[in-house]
Amino acid sequence: MLNKKKIVLVYPSMHAGGVPKRVVLFASILKESGHNVLIVCKKGSLLKKIEKNEIDYYLFPHNFQEKENIFKELFVYLKAFIKIFLKLKKEKPNLIVNHSRYTSVFVKILSKTLHLKYYSVAHGSYSGFSLLKKWVWGEKILAVSNTTKLNLINNYQLPPQKIQVIKNSIKPLKHPTEKEKNNFIEEFNLRNKTIISTITRFDTIKNVLMTIKSWELIYKKERNTVLLIIGHGPLEDEINKYIIKAGISERTLVINNIIDVSVVVSLSSFLILTSSREGLPSVVLEAFSLGKPVLATDVIGTNEIIKNNYNGLLVPLNDYKKLAELMENFIHDEILLNRLSKGAKDTYFKEFSFDKYRKQILNFFES
């Protein structure tokens, strides 16, 4: 290994989700290799995992980036900048790494002020203000998929040689014990039920209502099936109200306090992902690691990992009637489900080896 470094990873949330989990994974890989790591973030459920892994963290002000009047936002922004600036001036890190477009200007100014090496990680496809497009990015950029790299080149006019693609991977989910599965089944009254799940963030991009509208179409026919919606986010109230109004609340469970998703994935027949765009979705890899196929929208990022009719099925974005049809196919066609389950497991272990990924991540941050 090269000389041990002090590395700061910045992301403005630690609520369970794909990107926050990725930040914690990066921190764990770097810490295990002997680097000093500090995560700068806001409070969230993943802080427990950070503390368990004995990773240092430092918190933004609680109201950082909350939408208020512009003068209060500017005051909070300045307060956050001074707070983080003083912390990093004391810590003297070698490298600062930004993981969110919403903190890109903040981190860029920090890096310039403190004379820090600055890297960026692009977790998806973005648009941005034209005057800031090229300026906000670090001297090296990690893109999580080929489509993400193309977006950076086409939309931000960034030089290809500056961008390295390292496709997401995850440590394979552990197989939960029978006791863990039984405890979950009893807690949520799932005995003798077919379980389907979506694990996502409740915002516009993740498009959860498409899943719910499809489920609504088959709800009365599939009386032995339960839909689990695992996540959190700003649209939670809207989602809960829709479920109640549609009359499907008895077998539609919204759960927002689960960090270890291995039990949910293990008990599910298949998973659903109806995002309008993705980078390279970690939840699909989590499902594949336990041999669970995924029914998903055919959007860039997602279709880079899901091969239609091999490890899952793809459906046009917002075509909730077609999604409902494919959900029924999955529920009733055991041969199809078993064939795609095998493809899912093969995809994970042959194409997304975590050992290879770990080496790539270390090479990116250590070079």
Side-chain angles (χ1 to χ4, degrees), residues 70-323:
I70 188 168
F71 298 107
K72 189 168 184 179
E73 284 184 50
L74 287 172
F75 173 77
V76 174
Y77 194 94
L78 181 61
K79 178 182 175 183
F81 185 86
I82 293 170
K83 180 182 181 183
I84 306 304
F85 172 85
L86 293 174
K87 173 67 174 177
L88 298 189
K89 187 176 180 181
K90 180 180 178 181
E91 294 289 332
K92 294 181 171 60
N94 306 100
L95 170 66
I96 187 166
V97 185
N98 181 55
H99 287 263
S100 170
R101 58 179 169 162
Y102 300 112
T103 49
S104 57
V105 174
F106 184 95
V107 178
K108 181 74 173 189
I109 296 172
L110 268 177
S111 71
K112 290 290 186 183
T113 309
L114 290 165
H115 307 290
L116 295 177
K117 184 180 284 188
Y118 170 41
Y119 291 175
S120 301
V121 181
H123 294 276
S125 298
Y126 313 118
S127 58
F129 299 110
S130 58
L131 292 176
L132 300 176
K133 279 186 174 185
K134 294 183 73 172
W135 183 78
V136 297
W137 296 94
E139 57 198 78
K140 279 178 63 175
I141 303 168
L142 188 161
V144 301
S145 69
N146 292 321
T147 49
T148 298
K149 179 175 180 176
L150 286 174
N151 170 259
L152 294 175
I153 295 168
N154 295 331
N155 189 49
Y156 289 84
Q157 295 81 50
L158 295 171
Q161 64 272 18
K162 193 175 184 178
I163 307 165
Q164 180 179 346
V165 175
I166 303 177
K167 291 187 178 183
N168 283 346
S169 183
I170 51 117
K171 292 180 180 178
L173 295 185
K174 66 179 181 66
H175 288 273
T177 65
E178 290 303 314
K179 181 179 180 181
E180 288 173 322
K181 290 192 286 188
N182 284 329
N183 286 345
F184 187 87
I185 287 169
E186 293 303 321
E187 179 179 358
F188 294 102
N189 194 27
L190 300 172
R191 184 70 62 189
N192 299 320
K193 298 292 185 183
T194 297
I195 300 168
I196 56 179
S197 302
T198 183
I199 303 172
T200 188
R201 190 171 67 251
F202 301 158
D203 62 20
T204 304
I205 292 170
K206 295 298 183 179
N207 199 25
V208 186
L209 283 177
M210 178 181 172
T211 298
I212 298 171
K213 288 178 180 178
S214 301
W215 171 234
E216 183 183 357
L217 291 178
I218 64 173
Y219 178 83
K220 291 182 179 179
K221 292 187 285 183
E222 303 299 338
R223 297 187 178 277
N224 198 46
T225 302
V226 174
L227 173 65
L228 303 184
I229 305 173
I230 313 297
H232 63 88
L235 298 184
E236 185 173 345
D237 286 345
E238 180 181 336
I239 287 167
N240 281 320
K241 287 176 183 176
Y242 186 96
I243 290 169
I244 293 169
K245 186 176 179 180
I248 58 174
S249 56
E250 184 179 352
R251 288 180 286 109
T252 309
L253 305 182
V254 179
I255 308 171
N256 57 18
N257 60 350
I258 291 178
I259 298 174
D260 183 358
V261 300
S262 60
V263 174
V264 176
V265 175
S266 178
L267 289 171
S268 300
S269 295
F270 59 94
L271 274 75
I272 303 170
L273 181 67
T274 49
S275 305
S276 58
R277 72 169 189 261
E278 285 283 354
L280 196 82
S282 296
V283 67
V284 175
L285 293 171
E286 290 175 333
F288 284 6
S289 75
L290 290 183
K292 302 295 180 174
V294 179
L295 176 51
T297 42
D298 188 2
V299 296
I300 59 172
T302 301
N303 58 21
E304 198 167 320
I305 179 173
I306 295 180
K307 299 171 185 175
N308 195 40
N309 212 30
Y310 174 71
N311 52 25
L313 295 175
L314 294 170
V315 63
L317 179 62
N318 293 327
D319 190 346
Y320 65 92
K321 292 182 179 179
K322 182 65 176 179
L323 178 62

